Structures are given as C-alpha cells and as structure tokens.
Amino acid sequence: MQDERTELLRTPVTFLKGVGPQRAELLNRIGLWRAYDLLFYFPRDYLDMSEKKDVMQLEENKLQTVCGVIDSWERKQTRRGDMIALNVDCGKRFVKALWFKMPFIIREFAQGRRVLITGKPKFDHPFWVVMHPQITYLSDSEDEAEVEPFLPVYPLTEGLRQHHMRKIVREMLPVYAPLLDEVFPADYLAKHKLLPVAEAVKEIHFPSDNASMLWAKRRFVYQELFILQLGLAVRRYQHRIQLKAVPLPVDKKIDARIRQRFPFDLTKSQEKVIKEITADLSQPIPMNRLLQGDVGSGKTVVAVYAMLTAVANGHQAVFMSPTEVLARQHLRTLTRMLEGSQVKIAPLFGGQRPAERSMVLQEIAVGKAQIIVGTQAIIYGEIPFQKLGLVIIDEQHKFGVLQRAVLKTGEKFDPHYLVMTATPIPRSITMTLFGDLDVSIMDGMPPGRQKVKTYIVEPDKKNDWWNYVARKVREERWQGYVVVPLIEDNDDTPEGELSNSLLSVFNQLSQNELSGLRLGMIHGRMSTEEKEKIMFDFRTGDIQILVATTVIEVGVDVPNANLMTIIGGERFGLSQLHQLRGRIGRGSNPGYCGIFASAETKDAEQRLKAFAATTDGFKLAEKDFEIRGAGDLFGTQQHGMPPLRVADLKQDREVLEEARQDAVEMIHNDPGLAEPQHAKLRKQMLNRYGTVLNLGDVG
Ligand code: ADP
Ligand code: MG
C-alpha cells in the first residue's frame, strides 16, 4: 500500500498539472524533480492577505489587500528617482500603486488584468495610494475571495514566477500531500502537539492562518532536530554497550596524594567537575566528556587530577594541545607539579631529533612513560602505548562530533576521553555538535583573578594608548602582548596605510612608540627552538613587549603580562578575541586590553562592542551566536554533519531542548528503536545520520 503511494510521490514534475517541459526544466534547475520534492520545497516567506477589503472599507496604514483591474500606468523621472505609477480600478474608487527604482515591475502589467494589491494604503483624494505594494495576478476564473489568506513566497529561479509556482503547488497539494507517510506514531503526535505530516505540508504552503503556519513549521523543525538527536542518542548508547574501558577509581589515599601536588585549594567548580570526571573514570565504560570552562578558569589542574588518577591505577595518560607553545607550557607545569614524585612524563614534539623520539617511544611502549605530553598532530600518529587509560584533548577549538579520532590502546579496552574547550560554546551548539558527549561546566574563576578592562582605542587616541603602555612597562615593570592578525603584508593592504603585519608593527613600535623597550616577536612559522627561546625570554622578563600572531591565542600563561594591544581587531572572531584577552589579568595586577580596529561592517562593530562590554566567556559565546548564527558551524566540512534544512539553531532553541529530551527518553525506553511503531523513525535517522555518526546497524 505505502509502496504504491511512494511510487506516486515519485511522479516526475513534468506530469504535474500546470507543468510543461519548459517549466519542468526550471523546476529541475532548483532541485525539484518529483512531486515529493515540491511538497518539501518550503516557502521562504508569506504574503499576508488575511485582511481582504472592499475599496470602500480600506483603512489608512494597515496591511490590507484590495482587488481591482489594471487601468493604466506611467513611468516618470522624479526627484526620488525612476517612478512607476499603476492605476487600478477597484470599482467605486481607484487605487494608485507607486514604486521607486523598480522599473522591472512593469513587466507583467496588462490593461484589464485582474490583480490583488497588498500594502498599507493612504487616502489622497480622490484615490488611495499604496507605496511599494505586492501585486498578485489573478486569472479570469479565479475568485478573489477564494485566494488564500497567506500566499507562499518561494525561492525561485529566473523565468519561474511566484504565481506559476503557487499555481503548481496549489494544484498538486491536495493530490499528493495525503500520500505522505507519517513517521511519528499517532499517539506521539498527539502527545507532543505535532501536526500530522499531510496537514503540516498543506499548512506550510498555504496556511489557513498565522497560528497554523507556525504549528506547521514547528512540526518540521521538531522532526529535523528530533531525528538528529535520535542519532546522537543512539551513538551514545552504542558507545556504552560496545566499548569497554578499564575502571580508574579514586580512593581517599589517591585523592589526598593528588591534592598534595597542587599549590592551592581547588575552587568550587573545579571540585564539582572533578567529581563528575572521577565518577566516569570509575566505570568500565569509557568516559566521553566535554569540559567547558571559561578562559583562565583553571582547567589544567582538573586535567592533571584526571591524569594522576590514571597513573595511580597503573595506566598511561596523554595530554594533547593544539599548539606546541602550549604543549611545552603544559610540560613545564606538570614537571613543576610532579617534582620529586615517581611519575615519569614524556614529551612528544615535532622538532625532536629522531634518536630522542625513538627513545621516548620506547619508554611509552614499555610503560615507563606514564604521562605523555605533546601536540595533537604528533600524538595522532602511531604511538605504541603500553596501557593507555586516559586521553585529554586541551583547548579544543574545532567543533565536531567527528573530530575525535580514536586512539587505540593496543588492547581490547578503549581509553577514557576528556575534551576541554578553549572557550565556552553556546548551549544549542553543545547540544548538537557535541551532542554525543556528557558535559561538565566550570563557571567560577580561581580566587584573586584580576579584572581586565577593555578599551576600543579610537584612531586619534592611539598615541595616548602607547604612552600608557610604555609608562606601565617602565614604571611598574609590567609586560604586554601586541597581537597582530598577519605575519606578512599581503597584497590587499592598501598603499600608504599602516599595515597590520607582524614585521611592520614590530619595526614601527621599536623605532617609534615603544622605542627603548625590549621587544620580541613570535609567530607560528618559527622553528621550535626559536619559539621556545622567545617564550623563555618573555617569561623571565627579558622581553618586555611580545609582538605576536595568534600563536599565543590559547592557553599561554605568563602572569606578569598585564597589557594587551590587539591590532586589526575587526579581523578576529569574538571567541578568538576572548581567548586572546584571556592571556592577561592572570597575575596580581588587573589587565588592560586596548583594541585597534576599523569597524567597517555592522558585524564587526557589534562584535567589538560586545567584547568591550563583558569578560564573561559564556555571555560572549551566546552573543557571538546571536550575531553570526550557526550558519558556518553546521554543514561545513569541519565536522561533516549534513546541514539543517528547516531548523535554525538560533531561533529554534526551545524546540531543540524539547527534541533532545524526547529523543533521550525514546532511546532510553527503546535503545535500538526496535519497536514496530518506531521503525520509520529509525529508518529516517539511519538514512540521514547512519554514516556520519557511524551508527552501523542499530539493534
Ligand atoms: P584555563 O582554564 O584557561 O586552561 P589554567 O588552567 O591555565 O586556565 O589556569 C589559569 C591560572 O589559574 C593558572 O595560573 C593556574 O595556576 C591558576 N589556578 C588554577 N586553579 C587555581 C586555584 N584553585 N586557585 C588558584 N589558582 C588557580
Ligand atoms: Mg588551558
């Protein structure tokens, strides 16, 4: 039965009423091949014709629609530009429609043609005038009273007109919509207030009123997000049943021994997340957890706690960072914290000599090396772990479920995973792109954390800013960063303009604004030794001002650096700016951040304002999301997830929460979606996410 219906839904568009070969080609051009495609080709907007009036009932300045016959039109050059005036005979009065600078509007005018005019009219004796109205053409047989209250506005292509498309859809809807197969069980629809699919499709194309349009839309948004959340929930479930880990429990003795290593008491939020993490580690199922904490909230200590737990249980732990600068810093921190202990730390870096590297690998292979520190790039190679118990990925910037390649332990057990973010992520993103992870949130800061004041430095105040920086360095022995967006000048730097490149800024500052101070320079293309040397000189204070690219972006911790100048601020994203600023205010003095920017776009301006207004990373993440939306997060190669077609993570946050909860509940009750009433959901979920989420055969 459904097979037959499915077959009918596959009817090529050429066979639909009102579609000839020519129009079929236009439809094909926008991806519409079959009846089914058309049903799911949703309007991008609607034309509100819900207030149809007789011309004698029109009111001023309210959106209304009135019917009439085209009488005449003229085109005039006016002070406001090219003007088109269309006179429409609406019976007892004329309505004059006016357009400026839209000459193409004339294209479909024809004397005697019946039209609907939708807009906000003004009475200008003896006629009504409507500026820039919408015109809807009626065929001779169409009764204006029967025109739907909301007309769909479709994304179209050259040659295909709205009224063609409306006509085609209007004709095919009642024939094909009822053939659609409902994926949700009937009681599920009722319980979750979802419109049945046939009705929802009808209402989304030609809504009977505003409310039904919203309900129809909600059904599809819900469905899309629900299917995604089902996929993620199944992935979590499979992870739990298929993967085995060695439990790494913590007892009082281990706990006390670990804490002894920290030079300070843990903060409340550190305690909270350590509890969550140790609870996971003590299970025979691999931990798969995302730790979100603001910049400077003290995630490293949490990582060290987890690693020492692994070591105490006789297992190895790896600690991976995105950059070598950061990995080396971690190596120093760990070495300092573990001084005098038995724990053996092994570094794995890009620049190591072959002999050194093979010795380290040997130590890893025999289990002598217990904590392995390095960059992700290096560790994702073939490392022969002896007994890998825990993997920590620090300062993860890249989004995505699929980013987490699996490191094999060389045994039948999988390691526990902890991913730590570089900056907070908006909740809706966490729920989708990281939706298969458990999440820990660290929202407090270590005591004594200093405030950072941020200034947007106006062009005529730059000298004042540099004077201030120079004075602080001389008088208070502070240090600072100057961050630039580029290593080298590129061709699009306008001639005569001060460039934002590393070298020019460095030269300029050393010769002028900051002459007499000890400046250093660091960027990603330097060799490891060079970078190490520079960071060493900066830490010891030999370098007072470090001119840097974003290599210092994540994690770098030099407490005496309180000053930061960001040049070309408009070129950085909000979370990147937040990361950068997180480098200062780490010591006993407050931080001062000055940002130079030419805010040409509205986005850049909003970003800079938000940046100056708050230092709360969680707030900034939401703000960034508000400004940019999720557009470039979903549907990019970064994580390989198919794009969302109907839902918008920004607008549909509430539906997302609901869909997630419902999906978790469904998988809890029917983990393999094996119950017959879930068969269609299961099929849809596998079709869409089976491959990307690597779901294999559910069951
Ligand atoms: P992030 O979360 O950005 O990785 P870090 O782990 O680098 O932050 O910690 C930032 C700074 O705070 C470090 O200098 C660290 O030593 C310090 N710190 C961490 N936890 C505490 C604590 N409980 N009390 C005092 N200082 C702490
Ligand atoms: Mg860190």
Side-chain angles (χ1 to χ4, degrees):
M1 196 23 208
Q2 188 54 46
D3 285 354
E4 233 170 86
R5 294 165 159 225
T6 309
E7 211 36 58
L8 277 171
L9 284 167
R10 292 210 184 110
T11 306
V13 290
T14 337
F15 300 132
L16 297 178
K17 217 168 153 192
V19 185
Q22 256 181 359
R23 230 161 250 174
E25 211 190 293
L26 292 172
L27 292 174
N28 294 167
R29 201 181 294 165
I30 45 177
L32 306 175
W33 296 86
R34 295 166 188 279
Y36 181 90
D37 301 331
L38 220 55
L39 290 178
F40 286 94
Y41 195 66
F42 294 163
R44 63 170 164 79
D45 201 1
Y46 299 90
L47 180 52
D48 180 351
M49 316 249 272
S50 51
E51 293 289 325
K52 282 197 214 76
K53 295 279 181 65
D54 182 88
V55 72
M56 298 309 283
Q57 300 171 322
L58 286 177
E59 292 171 64
E60 290 228 333
N61 280 327
K62 262 178 66 179
L63 185 69
Q64 296 150 95
T65 299
V66 59
C67 181
V69 174
I70 294 184
D71 175 81
S72 60
W73 60 92
E74 57 185 328
R75 183 171 175 180
K76 261 202 281 199
Q77 295 307 320
T78 68
R79 261 180 302 140
R80 288 182 57 187
D82 194 358
M83 183 188 84
I84 311 283
L86 176 72
N87 301 307
V88 179
D89 181 353
C90 295
K92 300 201 175 87
R93 283 194 200 287
F94 270 71
V95 171
K96 196 189 256 306
L98 295 181
W99 292 271
F100 289 93
K101 298 179 189 154
M102 293 173 70
F104 52 86
I105 204 94
I106 273 184
R107 191 166 43 191
E108 287 180 273
F109 291 170
Q111 204 173 24
R113 194 161 185 191
R114 279 198 321 136
V115 291
L116 289 168
I117 305 163
T118 305
K120 292 182 179 173
K122 264 205 163 83
F123 193 64
D124 186 3
H125 194 78
F127 21 65
W128 286 93
V129 176
V130 201
M131 297 282 283
H132 287 211
Q134 296 287 337
I135 297 285
T136 312
Y137 296 95
L138 295 173
S139 66
D140 294 341
S141 57
E142 258 174 306
D143 179 350
E144 79 259 16
E146 276 172 21
V147 170
E148 295 84 350
F150 289 88
L151 288 184
V153 179
Y154 296 100
L156 294 176
T157 180
E158 176 86 43
L160 191 62
R161 323 275 314 147
Q162 286 298 346
H163 58 274
H164 297 153
M165 187 71 177
R166 285 176 190 147
K167 196 157 174 247
I168 299 166
V169 176
R170 191 183 276 131
E171 294 276 352
M172 61 88 66
L173 259 182
V175 183
Y176 292 93
L179 303 177
L180 285 168
D181 196 15
E182 177 60 65
V183 291
F184 289 106
D187 57 339
Y188 194 93
L189 290 176
K191 186 169 163 216
H192 296 268
K193 297 210 176 87
L194 298 170
L195 284 188
V197 67
E199 199 181 328
V201 162
K202 277 189 205 158
E203 287 294 333
I204 209 159
H205 286 283
F206 288 99
S208 16
D209 52 46
N210 205 33
S212 332
M213 180 230 296
L214 294 175
W215 281 110
K217 216 166 158 191
R218 180 176 171 279
R219 178 210 146 107
F220 294 111
V221 168
Y222 179 91
Q223 182 173 348
E224 183 167 51
L225 295 172
F226 181 72
I227 296 287
L228 167 63
Q229 291 300 330
L230 273 185
L232 292 167
V234 168
R235 183 168 151 119
R236 279 157 68 104
Y237 171 74
Q238 290 191 338
H239 186 95
R240 299 187 81 82
I241 55 163
Q242 290 168 355
L243 304 182
K244 283 194 184 54
V246 179
L248 306 169
V250 177
D251 58 20
K252 278 221 171 75
K253 228 173 93 193
I254 296 178
D255 177 69
R257 259 183 20 224
I258 296 176
R259 282 171 193 267
Q260 215 188 13
R261 293 274 150 203
F262 302 146
F264 36 61
D265 290 333
L266 298 180
T267 66
K268 253 206 210 109
S269 34
Q270 283 168 330
E271 294 286 2
K272 185 192 74 182
V273 305
I274 285 177
K275 222 179 189 164
E276 289 163 352
I277 290 168
T278 50
D280 282 4
L281 290 176
S282 68
Q283 298 297 309
I285 302 161
M287 167 168 76
N288 203 17
R289 189 168 281 278
L290 172 70
L291 172 57
Q292 286 205 50
D294 205 346
V295 177
S297 59
K299 294 184 288 290
T300 316
V301 170
V302 174
V304 173
Y305 190 106
M307 290 192 288
L308 291 177
T309 301
V311 173
N313 280 277
H315 278 73
Q316 292 168 305
V318 300
F319 193 18
M320 302 196 252
S321 309
T323 66
E324 193 161 331
V325 168
L326 187 53
R328 287 188 183 273
Q329 177 182 293
H330 284 330
L331 183 63
R332 267 192 313 276
T333 309
L334 278 163
T335 312
R336 193 167 0 101
M337 272 186 187
L338 299 178
E339 216 176 295
S341 79
Q342 303 290 313
V343 182
K344 169 91 179 145
I345 309 168
L348 262 187
F349 295 118
Q352 275 165 331
R353 275 184 298 275
E356 192 187 351
R357 182 176 164 86
S358 66
M359 196 189 75
V360 173
L361 291 180
Q362 180 61 22
E363 286 180 355
I364 296 174
V366 299
K368 214 172 134 203
Q370 294 158 299
I371 292 180
I372 296 99
V373 180
T375 56
Q376 292 173 26
I378 298 301
I379 295 179
Y380 275 130
E382 294 283 300
I383 307 293
F385 296 103
Q386 190 232 10
K387 253 187 166 182
L388 181 59
L390 171 67
V391 176
I392 299 183
I393 304 172
D394 189 26
E395 308 285 7
Q396 181 77 332
H397 248 328
K398 299 217 174 106
F399 291 100
V401 176
L402 309 164
Q403 290 278 327
R404 281 161 264 130
V406 174
L407 287 182
K408 281 288 163 195
T409 52
E411 291 182 56
K412 54 186 185 300
F413 294 106
D414 287 282
H416 296 277
Y417 269 87
L418 179 65
V419 180
M420 309 205 286
T421 56
T423 56
I425 306 169
R427 185 171 155 75
S428 343
I429 302 291
T430 310
M431 277 197 295
T432 43
L433 295 183
F434 286 111
D436 62 332
L437 299 180
D438 297 307
V439 178
S440 288
I441 295 205
M442 218 153 81
D443 43 16
M445 285 286 171
R449 182 47 47 87
Q450 299 294 327
K451 283 250 170 304
V452 176
K453 284 200 118 180
T454 304
Y455 305 92
I456 299 174
V457 182
E458 300 298 334
D460 59 339
K461 292 280 189 292
K462 285 184 183 170
N463 275 331
D464 295 351
W465 171 259
W466 291 122
N467 288 338
Y468 173 77
V469 169
R471 189 156 48 81
K472 284 290 183 187
V473 174
R474 283 208 178 89
E475 291 172 11
E476 321 248 354
R477 300 177 174 276
W478 285 8
Q479 289 171 272
Y481 302 94
V482 176
V483 185
V484 297
L486 308 164
I487 298 184
E488 284 162 16
D489 284 322
N490 53 14
D491 299 339
D492 53 303
T493 310
E495 208 161 325
E497 199 152 294
L498 183 68
S499 108
N500 289 338
S501 78
L502 191 70
L503 198 62
S504 0
V505 169
F506 178 84
N507 287 337
Q508 163 92 12
L509 293 179
S510 351
Q511 285 156 25
N512 301 297
E513 288 89 344
L514 302 180
S515 66
L517 299 185
R518 298 187 298 276
L519 271 64
M521 190 165 49
I522 189 168
H523 61 78
R525 287 198 219 138
M526 286 177 162
S527 76
T528 305
E529 287 83 38
E530 284 174 298
K531 273 190 276 190
E532 260 306 276
K533 169 89 173 56
I534 299 283
M535 285 314 289
F536 180 84
D537 290 348
F538 188 52
R539 263 194 316 278
T540 55
D542 271 358
I543 292 177
Q544 294 168 303
I545 295 283
L546 184 60
V547 187
T549 58
T550 53
V551 280
I552 57 120
E553 178 183 11
V554 290
V556 170
D557 191 23
V558 179
N560 194 45
N562 299 317
L563 299 162
M564 176 170 282
T565 312
I566 301 175
I567 293 180
E570 74 282 356
R571 289 177 175 249
F572 299 100
L574 198 41
S575 71
Q576 209 177 11
L577 289 173
H578 181 58
Q579 259 300 330
L580 287 168
R581 182 172 56 185
R583 301 307 111 225
I584 58 172
R586 291 182 159 242
S588 47
N589 289 305
Y592 295 91
C593 176
I595 179 162
F596 296 6
S598 47
E600 282 145 2
T601 64
K602 186 135 194 343
D603 268 20
E605 192 190 315
Q606 276 182 296
R607 230 168 30 227
L608 294 171
K609 278 212 177 112
F611 178 63
T614 178
T615 51
D616 180 330
F618 285 92
K619 279 193 197 141
L620 283 174
E622 294 294 341
K623 188 77 200 173
D624 196 23
F625 187 47
E626 236 171 73
I627 299 171
R628 288 192 307 158
D632 53 347
L633 293 178
F634 244 86
T636 63
Q637 286 173 334
Q638 259 204 14
H639 52 73
M641 295 280 265
L644 291 173
R645 289 179 282 212
V646 206
D648 173 329
L649 290 182
K650 194 164 99 189
Q651 277 167 25
D652 300 318
R653 281 184 233 198
E654 276 168 37
V655 187
L656 173 62
E657 299 267 357
E658 200 180 325
R660 177 167 179 91
Q661 249 175 31
D662 296 345
V664 167
E665 194 183 313
M666 185 173 282
I667 296 304
H668 179 77
N669 296 325
D670 179 15
L673 293 176
E675 292 172 20
Q677 78 271 23
H678 294 154
K680 290 172 191 165
L681 286 171
R682 177 172 179 274
K683 194 169 154 212
Q684 198 163 95
M685 185 268 293
L686 284 178
N687 274 344
R688 199 153 167 76
Y689 296 107
T691 316
V692 261
L693 292 181
N694 192 18
L695 299 178
D697 193 31
V698 186

